[in-house]
């Protein structure tokens, strides 16, 4: 493939643009390590309204470019999940991967919000439309699962329970809008390292099989943020990876405290972190929590987003 740059796609050629949401794990119950190195999960995914846009444009060769404030932190090469998605789809249909993928990045990079997975799902859908390959949803979901544990959810969005390593999805009812705030940290955390830290912290103790909390699922269905916050408190915050993320990045405790002091109903590390997620009562509360986080000096910035958000969708 041709090395990427940060330039947008060339004008004139046919292109398709897909918008894909970020996610927060409202609950992330983690089981013991499996023989294949992954962990069985009960992963309550919720798509939130922060989006990347992936544009697939006809080209002579596979090329990836990235724009946005954190573009330099995104690999514009064959390791990018967007490139791997295009290659997987092309291989399925026995065709060339002659496409330029441009990622307009707004989801925090390596932040535990599935930004890389979003780009994989977005590229898959964009290439399928551009190439007219007409791949069915089940086949698209199979390719997503090969690309990564969170990629199938990026395609479907909304809210879903992920079992297995997170790729086996059952849709959940989620009423909105729920108003969230996300505190973006300086630098990312590596997902494999956070899972390894989870194993290290759990060594010598039995790890139960992961199950979703019925109270969390009920509260998600009712759309009542206070009930959801209470359900999360009852299960110690909801994210089993949080102690591992805090162990690797102790400064996140101050970020969580700052959002709670500013009135957040619940505060949790998003997935493997280091982004911290805050559930708030309504839009004014979300704006207030974001402003307090911005001035707290405990994070690089804060973003407000509503949930649930739709999955990957063609927008141009
Ligand atoms: O599937 P994905 O590529 O996102 O996983 C990245 C890494 O995160 C895996 O290699 C594994 O170390 C860890 N992981 C895990 N259990 C899961 C999902 C991810 O241990 N259910």
């Amino acid at each position: 493939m041709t090395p990427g740059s940060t330039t947008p796609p060339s004008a004139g050629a046919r292109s398709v643009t897909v918008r894909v949401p970020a996610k927060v794990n409202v609950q992330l119950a983690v089981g013991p390590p499996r023989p294949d190195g992954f962990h069985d999960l009960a992963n309550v995914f919720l798509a939130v309204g922060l989006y990347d846009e992936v544009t697939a444009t006809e080209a002579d060769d596979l090329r990836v470019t990235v724009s946005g404030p954190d573009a330099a932190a995104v690999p514009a090469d064959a390791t990018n999940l967007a490139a791997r998605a295009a290659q997987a789809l092309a291989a399925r249909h026995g065709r060339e991967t002659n496409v330029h993928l441009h990622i307009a990045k707004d989801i925090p990079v390596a932040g535990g919000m599935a930004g890389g997975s979003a780009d994989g799902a977005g590229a898959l859908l964009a290439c399928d439309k551009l190439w007219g390959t007409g791949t069915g949803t089940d086949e698209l979901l199979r390719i997503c699962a090969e690309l990564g544990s969170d990629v199938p959810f990026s395609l479907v969005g909304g809210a879903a329970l992920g079992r297995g390593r997170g790729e086996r999805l059952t849709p959940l009812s989620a009423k909105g809008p729920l108003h969230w705030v996300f505190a973006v940290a300086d630098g990312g955390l590596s997902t494999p390292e956070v899972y390894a830290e989870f194993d290290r912290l759990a060594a010598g103790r039995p790890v139960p099989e992961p199950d979703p909390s019925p109270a969390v699922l009920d509260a998600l269905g009712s759309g009542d943020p206070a009930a959801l916050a209470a359900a999360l408190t009852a299960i110690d915050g909801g994210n089993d990876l949080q102690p591992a993320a805090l162990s690797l990045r102790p400064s996140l405790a101050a970020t969580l405290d700052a959002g709670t002091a500013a009135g957040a109903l619940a505060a949790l590390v998003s997935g493997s972190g280091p982004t911290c997620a805050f559930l708030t009562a309504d839009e004014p509360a979300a704006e207030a929590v974001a402003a307090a986080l911005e001035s707290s000096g405990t994070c690089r910035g804060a973003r407000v987003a509503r949930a649930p958000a739709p999955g990957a969708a063609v927008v141009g």
Side-chain angles (χ1 to χ4, degrees):
M1 72 178 270
T2 319
S5 70
T6 53
T7 51
S10 49
R14 242 170 30 91
S15 72
V16 174
T17 297
V18 169
R19 194 179 76 151
V20 207
K23 60 84 182 159
V24 62
N25 307 87
V26 176
Q27 185 190 355
L28 183 52
V30 182
R34 313 191 310 199
D36 65 0
F38 285 88
H39 296 69
D40 276 326
L41 305 177
N43 195 343
V44 180
F45 285 111
L46 180 65
V48 301
L50 297 178
Y51 300 94
D52 281 358
E53 282 190 0
V54 182
T55 299
T57 304
E58 288 173 331
D60 295 336
D61 195 4
L62 175 59
R63 192 155 81 95
V64 178
T65 55
V66 187
S67 63
D70 292 332
V74 180
D77 60 22
T79 65
N80 190 298
L81 272 186
R84 290 177 43 207
Q87 281 166 331
L89 185 70
R92 289 291 210 283
H93 295 282
R95 54 162 296 139
E96 297 286 302
T97 317
N98 46 354
V99 66
H100 172 193
L101 298 168
H102 181 72
I103 302 167
K105 190 115 208 95
D106 195 40
I107 302 174
V109 177
M113 297 193 74
S117 300
D119 301 342
L124 190 61
L125 188 59
C127 288
D128 193 48
K129 297 294 174 211
L130 181 72
W131 296 338
T133 30
T135 314
T137 305
D138 286 352
E139 182 66 2
L140 288 176
L141 285 170
R142 260 194 298 278
I143 299 173
C144 286
E146 286 167 18
L147 294 169
S149 307
D150 289 347
V151 185
F153 179 71
S154 297
L155 190 72
V156 302
L161 175 64
R163 305 303 302 243
R165 57 187 170 85
E167 86 287 17
R168 291 199 334 252
L169 298 177
T170 313
L172 292 173
S173 102
K175 206 159 149 212
L178 288 171
H179 298 274
W180 291 84
V181 181
F182 296 95
V184 182
D186 268 320
L189 271 177
S190 143
T191 302
E193 282 174 24
V194 175
Y195 275 100
E197 184 67 2
F198 170 88
D199 292 338
R200 197 185 67 78
L201 294 175
R205 281 186 284 126
V207 177
E209 288 306 317
D211 269 318
S213 148
V216 167
L217 301 186
D218 282 353
L220 204 54
S222 76
D224 177 351
L228 183 52
L232 291 175
T233 305
I235 54 167
D236 234 5
N239 180 1
D240 287 355
L241 290 182
Q242 184 161 314
L246 283 167
S247 168
L248 295 174
R249 189 74 68 85
S251 62
L252 294 180
T255 316
L256 294 170
D257 287 348
T260 305
L265 301 174
L268 62 155
V269 170
S270 180
S272 57
T275 304
C276 291
F278 302 90
L279 178 63
T280 64
D282 50 28
E283 192 151 12
E287 295 293 351
V289 168
L293 283 164
E294 292 264 8
S295 59
S296 71
T298 65
C299 59
R300 183 152 63 91
R303 307 285 305 274
V304 168
R306 292 168 171 225
V314 176
V315 293

